[in-house]
Amino acid sequence: EAGVAQSPRYKIIEKRQSVAFWCNPISGHATLYWYQQILGQGPKLLIQFQNNGVVDDSQLPKDRFSAERLKGVDSTLKIQPAKLEDSAVYLCASSLESAGNTIYFGEGSWLTVV
Amino acid sequence: DQQVKQNSPSLSVQEGRISILNCDYTNSMFDYFLWYKKYPAEGPTFLISISSIKDKNEDGRFTVFLNKSAKHLSLHIVPSQPGDSAVYFCAAQHLKVTFGTGTKLQVIP
Protein backbone atom coordinates (compact mmCIF):
# COMPACT_ATOMS: atom_id res chain seq x y z
CA GLU A 1 0.00 0.00 0.00
CA ALA A 2 1.39 3.39 -1.00
CA GLY A 3 1.97 5.88 1.78
CA VAL A 4 1.23 9.57 1.96
CA ALA A 5 2.97 11.36 -0.91
CA GLN A 6 4.17 14.94 -0.66
CA SER A 7 5.96 17.33 -3.00
CA PRO A 8 8.22 19.15 -3.25
CA ARG A 9 10.54 17.71 -0.59
CA TYR A 10 12.59 20.88 -0.31
CA LYS A 11 11.91 24.50 -1.18
CA ILE A 12 13.87 27.69 -0.61
CA ILE A 13 12.11 31.00 -1.27
CA GLU A 14 12.60 34.63 -0.41
CA LYS A 15 10.29 36.33 2.06
CA ARG A 16 7.14 37.74 0.52
CA GLN A 17 7.20 35.10 -2.22
CA SER A 18 4.58 32.38 -2.47
CA VAL A 19 4.87 28.61 -2.26
CA ALA A 20 2.53 25.64 -2.65
CA PHE A 21 2.78 22.12 -1.30
CA TRP A 22 0.91 19.14 -2.62
CA CYS A 23 -0.26 16.02 -0.81
CA ASN A 24 -1.80 12.74 -1.92
CA PRO A 25 -3.13 10.76 1.06
CA ILE A 26 -3.35 7.00 1.46
CA SER A 27 -6.10 5.63 -0.74
CA GLY A 28 -9.42 5.44 1.06
CA HIS A 29 -8.43 7.76 3.90
CA ALA A 30 -11.22 10.23 4.54
CA THR A 31 -9.31 12.52 6.86
CA LEU A 32 -6.36 14.62 5.74
CA TYR A 33 -4.18 16.83 7.93
CA TRP A 34 -1.57 19.50 7.39
CA TYR A 35 0.89 19.98 10.24
CA GLN A 36 3.67 22.52 10.66
CA GLN A 37 6.77 21.39 12.52
CA ILE A 38 9.31 24.01 13.51
CA LEU A 39 12.75 22.76 14.50
CA GLY A 40 12.77 21.52 18.11
CA GLN A 41 8.99 21.50 18.43
CA GLY A 42 6.26 18.95 17.95
CA PRO A 43 3.98 19.00 14.91
CA LYS A 44 1.26 21.65 15.13
CA LEU A 45 -2.05 21.08 13.36
CA LEU A 46 -2.79 23.72 10.74
CA ILE A 47 -5.89 22.28 9.13
CA GLN A 48 -7.89 19.05 9.16
CA PHE A 49 -10.19 17.92 6.36
CA GLN A 50 -12.89 15.27 6.52
CA ASN A 51 -13.40 14.32 2.86
CA ASN A 52 -13.47 17.78 1.22
CA GLY A 53 -14.85 19.67 4.21
CA VAL A 54 -12.81 21.56 6.80
CA VAL A 55 -13.09 20.13 10.32
CA ASP A 56 -10.56 22.35 12.10
CA ASP A 57 -8.53 25.29 10.86
CA SER A 58 -8.30 27.19 14.12
CA GLN A 59 -4.49 27.40 14.01
CA LEU A 60 -4.16 28.26 10.33
CA PRO A 61 -2.88 31.83 9.79
CA LYS A 62 -5.61 32.64 7.32
CA ASP A 63 -4.15 35.96 6.25
CA ARG A 64 -1.32 34.12 4.49
CA PHE A 65 -2.08 30.40 4.51
CA SER A 66 -4.76 28.62 2.52
CA ALA A 67 -5.54 24.98 1.87
CA GLU A 68 -7.98 23.08 -0.22
CA ARG A 69 -8.94 19.49 -0.79
CA LEU A 70 -10.84 19.31 -4.03
CA LYS A 71 -12.81 16.12 -4.66
CA GLY A 72 -11.86 14.84 -1.21
CA VAL A 73 -8.54 13.32 -2.28
CA ASP A 74 -5.44 15.44 -3.03
CA SER A 75 -4.76 18.59 -1.11
CA THR A 76 -2.72 21.75 -1.62
CA LEU A 77 -1.35 24.06 1.07
CA LYS A 78 -0.34 27.57 -0.06
CA ILE A 79 1.58 30.30 1.70
CA GLN A 80 1.42 33.82 0.30
CA PRO A 81 3.30 35.96 1.18
CA ALA A 82 5.87 33.92 3.10
CA LYS A 83 7.58 35.20 6.24
CA LEU A 84 10.88 34.14 7.76
CA GLU A 85 9.05 32.43 10.63
CA ASP A 86 7.28 30.12 8.15
CA SER A 87 10.54 28.16 7.79
CA ALA A 88 9.51 24.69 8.92
CA VAL A 89 8.63 21.21 7.77
CA TYR A 90 5.08 20.93 6.44
CA LEU A 91 3.76 17.46 7.13
CA CYS A 92 0.75 16.01 5.42
CA ALA A 93 -0.97 13.08 7.09
CA SER A 94 -4.08 10.99 6.63
CA SER A 95 -6.27 8.57 8.56
CA LEU A 96 -9.31 6.43 7.82
CA GLU A 97 -11.52 8.57 10.01
CA SER A 98 -10.82 11.33 12.46
CA ALA A 99 -11.39 9.64 15.81
CA GLY A 100 -9.46 6.77 17.30
CA ASN A 101 -7.54 6.08 14.14
CA THR A 102 -3.85 6.06 13.48
CA ILE A 103 -2.52 9.05 11.58
CA TYR A 104 0.03 8.24 8.88
CA PHE A 105 2.50 10.93 7.85
CA GLY A 106 4.28 11.72 4.63
CA GLU A 107 7.98 12.53 4.56
CA GLY A 108 7.33 16.25 4.75
CA SER A 109 8.08 19.32 2.67
CA TRP A 110 10.99 21.34 4.06
CA LEU A 111 10.57 25.09 3.58
CA THR A 112 13.31 27.64 4.12
CA VAL A 113 12.37 31.31 3.81
CA VAL A 114 15.35 33.64 3.39
CA ASP B 1 -1.28 26.27 26.54
CA GLN B 2 0.69 23.07 26.01
CA GLN B 3 -1.72 20.22 26.62
CA VAL B 4 0.80 17.43 25.94
CA LYS B 5 4.21 17.67 27.57
CA GLN B 6 7.38 15.68 27.21
CA ASN B 7 9.60 17.12 29.90
CA SER B 8 12.77 15.25 28.95
CA PRO B 9 14.23 16.62 25.72
CA SER B 10 16.79 13.82 25.56
CA LEU B 11 17.59 10.38 26.96
CA SER B 12 20.64 8.11 26.63
CA VAL B 13 20.42 4.38 27.25
CA GLN B 14 22.82 1.49 26.84
CA GLU B 15 21.98 -1.12 24.23
CA GLY B 16 20.00 -4.00 25.74
CA ARG B 17 18.65 -1.94 28.62
CA ILE B 18 15.15 -0.50 29.03
CA SER B 19 14.24 2.91 27.60
CA ILE B 20 11.39 4.73 29.33
CA LEU B 21 9.94 7.80 27.68
CA ASN B 22 7.39 9.85 29.57
CA CYS B 23 4.51 12.07 28.60
CA ASP B 24 2.05 14.13 30.64
CA TYR B 25 -1.21 15.68 29.50
CA THR B 26 -3.67 18.13 30.95
CA ASN B 27 -6.89 17.60 28.99
CA SER B 28 -9.05 14.90 30.60
CA MET B 29 -11.09 14.70 27.39
CA PHE B 30 -8.26 12.98 25.51
CA ASP B 31 -9.43 9.47 24.66
CA TYR B 32 -6.74 8.07 22.39
CA PHE B 33 -2.99 8.25 22.73
CA LEU B 34 -0.24 7.53 20.22
CA TRP B 35 3.53 7.32 20.06
CA TYR B 36 5.50 8.23 16.96
CA LYS B 37 9.15 7.82 16.09
CA LYS B 38 10.95 10.26 13.85
CA TYR B 39 14.29 9.90 12.11
CA PRO B 40 16.04 12.97 10.67
CA ALA B 41 14.69 14.13 7.30
CA GLU B 42 11.72 11.76 7.52
CA GLY B 43 8.13 12.14 8.61
CA PRO B 44 6.95 10.69 11.94
CA THR B 45 6.24 6.96 11.88
CA PHE B 46 3.46 5.45 13.96
CA LEU B 47 4.73 3.17 16.71
CA ILE B 48 1.97 2.18 19.11
CA SER B 49 -1.31 3.51 20.48
CA ILE B 50 -3.65 3.04 23.42
CA SER B 51 -7.28 3.82 24.04
CA SER B 52 -8.30 5.56 27.25
CA ILE B 53 -10.27 2.48 28.28
CA LYS B 54 -7.05 0.49 28.62
CA ASP B 55 -4.03 0.92 30.84
CA LYS B 56 -1.51 -1.09 28.87
CA ASN B 57 -0.81 -2.06 25.28
CA GLU B 58 2.09 -4.18 24.13
CA ASP B 59 3.59 -4.73 20.69
CA GLY B 60 6.84 -6.66 20.61
CA ARG B 61 9.55 -4.65 22.32
CA PHE B 62 7.25 -1.68 22.81
CA THR B 63 4.76 -1.23 25.63
CA VAL B 64 2.67 1.83 26.37
CA PHE B 65 1.26 2.42 29.85
CA LEU B 66 -1.56 4.84 30.59
CA ASN B 67 -2.31 6.23 34.06
CA LYS B 68 -5.46 8.30 33.63
CA SER B 69 -5.65 9.46 37.24
CA ALA B 70 -2.15 10.93 36.90
CA LYS B 71 -2.72 12.02 33.29
CA HIS B 72 0.51 10.28 32.40
CA LEU B 73 1.63 7.83 29.79
CA SER B 74 4.93 6.16 29.16
CA LEU B 75 6.59 4.15 26.43
CA HIS B 76 8.87 1.30 27.40
CA ILE B 77 11.33 -0.17 24.91
CA VAL B 78 12.90 -3.46 25.96
CA PRO B 79 15.55 -4.31 24.98
CA SER B 80 16.75 -1.05 23.45
CA GLN B 81 18.62 -1.28 20.16
CA PRO B 82 20.84 1.27 18.36
CA GLY B 83 18.23 1.50 15.59
CA ASP B 84 15.79 2.86 18.15
CA SER B 85 17.80 6.09 18.28
CA ALA B 86 15.34 8.74 17.10
CA VAL B 87 13.03 11.46 18.34
CA TYR B 88 9.87 10.10 19.99
CA PHE B 89 6.66 12.10 20.06
CA CYS B 90 3.64 11.31 22.16
CA ALA B 91 0.28 12.50 20.94
CA ALA B 92 -3.20 12.68 22.39
CA GLN B 93 -6.53 12.90 20.65
CA HIS B 94 -9.91 14.43 21.37
CA LEU B 95 -11.44 15.53 18.07
CA LYS B 96 -7.96 16.50 16.95
CA VAL B 97 -4.48 15.17 17.68
CA THR B 98 -2.08 17.23 19.79
CA PHE B 99 1.62 16.39 19.86
CA GLY B 100 4.25 16.80 22.53
CA THR B 101 7.61 18.43 21.84
CA GLY B 102 9.51 15.16 21.55
CA THR B 103 12.27 13.28 23.36
CA LYS B 104 15.49 12.43 21.56
CA LEU B 105 16.54 8.89 22.43
CA GLN B 106 20.11 7.77 21.93
CA VAL B 107 20.86 4.08 22.34
CA ILE B 108 24.56 3.56 22.90
CA PRO B 109 26.08 0.34 21.52
Side-chain angles (χ1 to χ4, degrees):
Chain A
E1 180 183 83
V4 177
Q6 290 188 245
S7 67
R9 283 298 312 276
Y10 304 95
K11 192 76 176 178
I12 301 175
I13 62 172
E14 295 183 350
K15 59 183 179 183
R16 291 186 289 275
Q17 285 188 324
S18 64
V19 62
F21 301 112
W22 172 83
C23 173
N24 186 16
I26 294 173
S27 177
H29 281 196
T31 307
L32 184 146
Y33 315 78
W34 282 102
Y35 283 85
Q36 179 193 58
Q37 185 177 14
I38 293 172
L39 189 65
Q41 299 181 18
K44 182 183 85 172
L45 180 68
L46 293 176
I47 189 167
Q48 177 177 337
F49 292 94
Q50 181 75 12
N51 296 307
N52 60 350
V54 175
V55 173
D56 188 324
D57 63 357
S58 57
Q59 297 194 88
L60 186 75
K62 299 180 185 64
D63 57 334
R64 298 184 301 106
F65 286 65
S66 65
E68 60 182 11
R69 190 183 185 196
L70 300 176
K71 300 180 182 178
V73 182
D74 293 9
S75 177
T76 303
L77 176 70
K78 296 180 181 177
I79 308 173
Q80 181 179 14
K83 293 185 175 181
L84 296 176
E85 58 261 37
D86 298 332
S87 295
V89 181
Y90 291 87
L91 294 162
C92 180
S94 69
S95 64
L96 276 171
E97 295 294 340
S98 59
N101 278 267
T102 301
I103 296 176
Y104 296 92
F105 284 87
E107 292 190 315
S109 293
W110 297 66
L111 174 65
T112 301
V113 182
V114 298
Chain B
D1 175 29
Q2 197 171 341
Q3 297 186 60
V4 181
K5 299 178 184 178
Q6 294 178 258
N7 293 317
S8 298
S10 63
L11 175 68
S12 289
V13 172
Q14 288 285 343
E15 181 180 3
R17 306 293 291 267
I18 184 171
S19 294
I20 300 176
L21 296 98
N22 294 302
C23 180
D24 297 296
Y25 62 95
T26 58
N27 188 344
S28 57
M29 298 296 290
F30 288 139
D31 54 12
Y32 192 61
F33 303 88
L34 310 97
W35 283 94
Y36 284 82
K37 178 170 71 173
K38 186 181 184 302
Y39 294 119
E42 295 184 11
T45 303
F46 170 73
L47 202 52
I48 192 168
S49 63
I50 188 167
S51 165
S52 61
I53 62 173
K54 296 186 176 181
D55 54 20
K56 177 182 174 181
N57 188 28
E58 191 172 351
D59 184 3
R61 297 185 298 115
F62 302 92
T63 303
V64 57
F65 295 92
L66 175 62
N67 183 334
K68 284 186 294 185
S69 60
K71 293 190 178 68
H72 177 84
L73 68 156
S74 61
L75 174 68
H76 293 209
I77 306 174
V78 182
S80 300
Q81 299 174 354
D84 297 329
S85 296
V87 177
Y88 289 78
F89 292 97
C90 72
Q93 182 177 47
H94 170 64
L95 302 178
K96 68 179 182 181
V97 177
T98 303
F99 284 81
T101 53
T103 296
K104 185 176 183 178
L105 172 66
Q106 182 182 21
V107 179
I108 303 165

